[in-house]
Amino acid sequence: MDMEAGKTLTNEEVVRELLELLKKNAMKEQANDVFEICSYVDGLEKKIDSMTEELTNMQNQIKEMQEDTLVNNAKKALSEAQERLNARCEQIKSQVLEVKAQVKSTAKSIVDEAKAKGRAALYRVSEFLGIKKRLLDIRENVRGAIKTTDKDIAKTALLAKGFREAGQTAANAFRTFADKPEVDYSQKEQKHPITKAVLAPMKAVKKMLVSMELHLDASIDKLDNLAMNVKLDKEKHMENMKKQEQTEPERAEAERVEAEVVYSPMVAEPQEYQYNADAFEARGVDEVKQEAAHKEVSKVREDKAR
């Protein structure tokens, strides 16, 4: 495995850059979704590496099995089972590498566009949904591998049982020939070398395949979740923009009315008016002055008449 193929998605520079852009643009949920999807893909690759290790160990164990007529007849069948599993494992590994390449390519395209066009380009993270078809294909492959492995485990267990019973029968035959009592092997739990050499690795591989299927289920659900989160964020953003556009005319109208209220008192009135007690008092003073003047005029006239 080369360094590039072995590098995890979560450590890829372009993926980390995309996650930072999403967080800076208040798209934390989408960032979490992308990170988890990448983590699931990394997990698939790790499990494949562990499976390959188990299968290599199984191959070596088969080669080292003690040579005898019965085992030699079985080694070919066991080797074929190991080769089938190994081929399936390599196929799944190739599919996972294709997913990794698509994730990196999509991330780079989004990052480049976001740098040029801004936040709107980040909605393209929903394009990660494009790997869903590949993940569905991998899941079908894994499910097929589980079925095949179950069959091989059953056949290997039966073979081991046959070898064990044949060995026990042969052992008792020699005991009988040597005038020794037979051994009741039903009371003893004995395992044939095939159990350790082949059956145990097969069961380990089956366990990893089941775990891979669960990982794939989770990653597919997370892709759907990412697409939904992007849709909701986009709708919310559009709604906020719409509200802003609606409030602009209202704000302009409010400013116009405020201007009229502020500037209308600047127009001078033709006269001043007084109200309440002050006005009444002022009017009373004027009437008293007028009455006094009238009396003064009358008095002058009377004096002249005399």
Side-chain angles (χ1 to χ4, degrees):
M1 182 184 295
D2 58 39
M3 291 294 290
E4 189 64 26
K7 193 173 183 180
T8 60
L9 275 177
T10 50
N11 282 326
E12 286 288 347
E13 184 178 349
V14 68
V15 172
R16 296 176 74 86
E17 194 171 0
L18 174 60
L19 294 175
E20 284 301 314
L21 283 173
L22 288 168
K23 290 176 183 176
K24 286 179 181 178
N25 284 275
M27 296 176 74
K28 188 176 179 180
E29 288 184 358
Q30 292 84 346
N32 289 338
D33 289 338
V34 171
F35 179 81
E36 288 186 36
I37 289 166
C38 291
S39 295
Y40 282 130
V41 175
D42 289 339
L44 291 175
E45 195 170 23
K46 287 178 183 177
K47 291 183 185 302
I48 291 169
D49 289 341
S50 296
M51 285 167 56
T52 301
E53 188 177 339
E54 286 287 350
L55 291 170
T56 301
N57 179 53
M58 186 169 89
Q59 185 181 38
N60 293 333
Q61 290 278 353
I62 292 171
K63 288 179 180 178
E64 292 173 5
M65 285 172 63
Q66 186 178 355
E67 298 289 335
D68 62 45
T69 305
L70 287 174
V71 173
N72 285 342
N73 290 337
K75 283 178 74 172
K76 183 179 179 183
L78 293 172
S79 294
E80 287 175 354
Q82 184 273 336
E83 288 168 6
R84 279 196 303 272
L85 268 176
N86 197 60
R88 179 83 75 161
C89 184
E90 288 298 321
Q91 188 180 26
I92 294 171
K93 183 176 181 179
S94 176
Q95 288 176 305
V96 171
L97 290 177
E98 287 174 1
V99 169
K100 284 183 68 176
Q102 186 172 348
V103 169
K104 288 190 287 184
S105 174
T106 303
K108 186 178 186 309
S109 177
I110 294 170
V111 167
D112 290 345
E113 187 174 346
K115 287 178 179 179
K117 299 182 180 179
R119 189 181 193 275
L122 294 175
Y123 289 131
R124 285 185 54 203
V125 291
S126 60
E127 291 178 16
F128 280 116
L129 201 61
I131 68 172
K132 184 176 180 178
K133 175 64 169 59
R134 293 184 186 276
L135 293 177
L136 288 169
D137 289 342
I138 294 173
R139 187 171 67 180
E140 284 305 303
N141 210 347
V142 168
R143 286 175 176 173
I146 291 172
K147 289 179 181 179
T148 301
T149 306
D150 277 337
K151 290 179 181 178
D152 287 336
I153 287 173
K155 289 189 290 186
T156 303
L158 189 61
L159 184 63
K161 181 183 178 183
F163 278 152
R164 184 174 63 251
E165 291 177 350
Q168 293 167 358
T169 301
N172 276 330
F174 281 114
R175 285 179 177 276
T176 301
F177 185 78
D179 295 323
K180 293 181 178 179
E182 292 186 0
V183 176
D184 184 4
Y185 289 101
S186 63
Q187 303 301 317
K188 296 183 178 182
E189 184 180 356
Q190 292 190 349
K191 294 182 179 179
H192 192 273
I194 289 178
T195 302
K196 180 181 178 182
V198 182
L199 198 57
M202 277 187 180
K203 287 182 177 180
V205 168
K206 193 268 178 87
K207 187 177 180 180
M208 290 175 202
L209 287 168
V210 171
S211 179
M212 282 184 72
E213 184 180 6
L214 294 175
H215 259 66
L216 286 160
D217 288 341
S219 59
I220 290 166
D221 288 343
K222 189 57 66 175
L223 281 171
D224 291 334
N225 193 61
L226 172 61
M228 180 59 69
N229 279 335
V230 170
K231 182 182 177 183
L232 291 174
D233 187 271
K234 195 171 185 179
E235 289 174 353
K236 184 179 178 181
H237 189 67
M238 292 294 288
E239 187 178 342
N240 290 339
M241 291 293 289
K242 190 176 180 181
K243 284 180 180 178
Q244 262 190 325
E245 290 173 1
Q246 287 176 342
T247 55
E248 284 299 327
E250 293 172 4
R251 189 180 294 109
E253 177 64 15
E255 289 175 355
R256 185 186 67 78
V257 171
E258 184 180 356
E260 288 181 357
V261 170
V262 171
Y263 292 109
S264 57
M266 296 296 288
V267 180
E269 295 291 338
Q271 65 182 55
E272 293 183 0
Y273 293 93
Q274 290 178 309
Y275 301 94
N276 303 327
D278 292 338
F280 179 77
E281 185 180 348
R283 188 172 67 250
V285 171
D286 290 341
E287 289 176 354
V288 170
K289 287 180 180 179
Q290 288 177 6
E291 186 177 349
H294 179 69
K295 287 180 179 180
E296 184 67 28
V297 171
S298 297
K299 185 178 179 182
V300 170
R301 286 177 180 174
E302 287 177 1
D303 291 341
K304 285 183 178 180
R306 289 182 186 157

